[in-house]
Amino acid sequence: MLIAIDHGNRLIKTPNHAPFTSGLQESDTPPFGGETLKYKGKYYTLSGKRIPYHRDKTEDERFFILSLFAIAYEIEAADAYSANLMPVQLAVGLPPAHYGAQSKAFTKYFLDRGAIQFDFHGRVYSIFINKAVCYPQAYAAAVTVLKSLRDKPKAIVIDQGGMTTDIMLLKDGAGDLSVCESLEHGVITMYNQVKSKVSAELDVLLEESEIDAILMGRKEHVSAEVSIMVERQAQAFVNDLFSTLRERGLELKSGVVVFVGGGAILLQRQIEASGKVGHPMFVEDISANAKGFDKLYQLTQEGR
Amino acid sequence: MEDKKYPGKFTIRFNIADPQQRAAAELLNQQGRCKAQFLTNAVLFYVQETSDGQPAPLPEAMRQCSIQQETVLAEKSVPKQSPDDDDMESIRKTMEAFQLSQNNGA
């Protein structure tokens, strides 16, 4: 069974399940409540507190454990559970600027583990990862709307994630890797800036979820002062990003600019209000990269 | 050799010094009362008769399992939309460029 997973720094996304936070708690005894998986004698529970940023996700086993959750969710969504050993093929991804240096190590991280057994939702899963293929994020999301980009002489794809903003250039729908960057300028950076400012000037400690709510238009839980400050900081964050891109020689007023990723969905109003993007296109499906990995796998691997 | 009194009964000792056998023993110890079913599944997957009745190597057995699984899933899935040639061409060119960057370790 093919399973596509987008391992974000903030959220794990798959094509057929709601995203979940890239956070994990480990214990030696069964925990109370939460989504828990048992693997090699330890209990792992999904946590709302994300793992601190790691440029290299293979440094430890946490992203592998999160992948087991993702695999189980996708198997459940496909109603494909079997008590027998299930072969699994993984389609995963990395930021396009890190792809060259890290993709081999990332696919190796999932392979050569033999039969993997874990307990989840009252059932015993036995899986065997017999293949793992890595694809570039941002491009994968663009593949889901490729028909509308094929006739565009220039399209810039901006994938705004939790920790990074990835940029790549398409010409007539094909990637031009002369422009391929990953900036450590994701929404987590914005959250930290907003929290610092609101705490210092208004003495209010905001959670990331509250910042999200304000930016999505739900402001009833905070004062007008706080919501205005949050909106201003978010606008400043977006303006800074576009200034950085301009310094790097990227023109956003011509051609199409395709915004993907959770950060782009969150900051759509600020992006449109900046006045610096000529023709924005928003891919509003937060799982677009995962769906793109799935599609790329089917197009490039099937029949081999 | 005389017929076994209980043909379904086995006594087996794994060599814990061997990493593979130790891993197999650890897996079995996690099965509780389901060891027999777990072994049944594993043996039937591993042993696939070829035309001369010889067992196939494990990778072939896994491939057969994969084909069976994918056939079942294909029956449940939505028919795939075939990409047109222009899309395939742009995807091919882009992935070739990324493969080149991978080979260069860029």
Side-chain angles (χ1 to χ4, degrees):
Chain A
M1 179 179 176
L2 170 62
I3 294 178
I5 308 173
D6 181 11
H7 297 83
N9 290 297
R10 186 166 163 250
L11 296 171
I12 306 289
K13 281 84 69 180
T14 59
N16 302 296
H17 189 269
F20 55 94
T21 301
S22 305
L24 215 51
Q25 280 181 329
E26 178 183 325
S27 65
D28 293 323
T29 52
F32 178 74
E35 290 282 272
T36 299
L37 179 152
K38 184 181 174 189
Y39 174 62
K40 289 190 174 178
K42 292 202 180 281
Y43 297 87
Y44 298 92
T45 305
L46 292 181
S47 164
K49 187 176 177 207
R50 64 178 181 278
I51 296 166
Y53 175 56
H54 283 68
R55 193 172 194 258
D56 180 357
K57 294 184 173 70
T58 68
E59 279 177 15
D60 59 38
E61 289 286 272
R62 284 179 290 182
F63 275 94
F64 178 72
I65 305 294
L66 287 168
S67 306
L68 296 182
F69 280 93
I71 289 167
Y73 283 137
E74 285 291 296
I75 290 172
E76 287 180 354
D79 192 24
Y81 173 78
S82 168
N84 297 327
L85 188 65
M86 297 183 65
V88 166
Q89 301 81 49
L90 290 184
V92 297
L94 286 171
H98 303 162
Y99 181 88
Q102 294 182 358
S103 56
K104 280 184 181 161
F106 196 48
T107 52
K108 198 165 182 295
Y109 179 64
F110 297 102
L111 296 171
D112 299 329
R113 291 178 180 260
I116 299 159
Q117 189 161 12
F118 59 95
D119 297 358
F120 185 64
H121 282 175
R123 296 196 285 200
V124 177
Y125 285 76
S126 295
I127 65 168
F128 178 78
I129 301 173
N130 59 6
K131 196 166 186 179
V133 185
C134 188
Y135 296 99
Q137 293 165 345
Y139 177 66
V143 161
T144 65
V145 293
L146 199 59
K147 280 198 180 358
S148 57
L149 300 176
R150 207 195 315 145
D151 61 345
K152 304 294 188 289
K154 181 183 103 171
I156 295 175
V157 183
I158 298 180
D159 182 353
Q160 188 140 56
M163 200 62 211
T164 59
T165 295
D166 303 319
I167 298 109
M168 67 174 290
L169 174 66
L170 302 184
K171 289 182 175 172
D172 299 311
D176 179 347
L177 297 198
S178 64
V179 176
C180 186
E181 300 209 45
S182 187
L183 308 175
E184 288 185 8
H185 192 91
V187 288
I188 293 171
T189 307
M190 181 200 70
Y191 289 141
N192 292 337
Q193 289 171 353
V194 169
K195 285 197 272 188
S196 293
K197 185 90 171 165
V198 171
S199 171
E201 296 194 14
L202 299 177
D203 195 25
V204 173
L205 295 174
L206 283 179
E207 298 285 339
E208 290 175 6
S209 56
E210 292 178 296
I211 297 170
D212 285 348
I214 292 166
L215 293 175
M216 300 299 277
R218 288 181 279 130
K219 305 173 189 180
E220 59 280 356
H221 63 288
V222 294
S223 69
E225 275 184 310
V226 168
S227 69
I228 288 169
M229 184 165 284
V230 169
E231 298 263 9
R232 278 198 188 136
Q233 286 298 301
Q235 190 66 63
F237 173 82
V238 166
N239 293 346
D240 280 349
L241 172 64
F242 291 158
S243 296
T244 300
L245 296 182
R246 193 68 180 86
E247 281 175 10
R248 282 166 149 77
L250 283 171
E251 178 56 72
L252 302 182
K253 288 187 180 166
S254 67
V256 171
V257 183
V258 186
F259 289 95
V260 306
I265 298 166
L266 185 67
L267 296 167
Q268 183 169 348
R269 282 189 298 119
Q270 285 73 24
I271 291 168
E272 288 170 336
S274 69
K276 298 187 177 177
V277 182
H279 298 91
M281 178 196 294
F282 290 89
V283 176
E284 294 186 352
D285 184 352
I286 196 172
S287 299
N289 269 318
K291 289 178 180 171
F293 300 155
D294 188 300
K295 187 168 184 181
L296 284 167
Y297 186 101
Q298 292 188 50
L299 292 174
T300 62
Q301 299 293 316
E302 304 247 293
R304 288 187 182 191
Chain B
M1 187 184 282
E2 292 178 2
D3 289 341
K4 281 174 69 172
K5 187 175 179 183
Y6 303 107
K9 183 176 179 180
F10 295 85
T11 300
I12 185 166
R13 171 170 288 183
F14 290 87
N15 178 7
I16 301 299
D18 181 316
Q20 284 189 323
Q21 292 199 27
R22 184 172 65 247
E26 284 170 1
L27 266 176
L28 277 176
N29 282 329
Q30 292 171 22
Q31 304 312 311
R33 291 180 180 274
C34 302
K35 291 184 183 64
Q37 186 59 53
F38 183 82
L39 280 171
T40 300
N41 295 342
V43 168
L44 292 181
F45 275 134
Y46 186 77
V47 177
Q48 296 283 340
E49 281 188 331
T50 61
S51 57
D52 61 2
Q54 295 301 310
L58 181 58
E60 175 61 24
M62 298 301 296
R63 192 184 74 82
Q64 292 296 332
C65 175
S66 173
I67 290 169
Q68 289 164 16
Q69 291 273 353
E70 285 168 6
T71 302
V72 168
L73 287 171
E75 289 165 1
K76 296 183 182 181
S77 69
V78 175
K80 294 169 197 169
Q81 192 175 8
S82 300
D84 58 34
D85 291 340
D86 287 343
D87 277 353
M88 278 308 302
E89 181 58 20
S90 68
I91 289 169
R92 186 189 62 76
K93 280 166 64 175
T94 307
M95 289 312 303
E96 271 179 10
F98 275 109
Q99 290 297 331
L100 199 57
S101 75
Q102 185 188 61
N103 293 339
N104 292 338

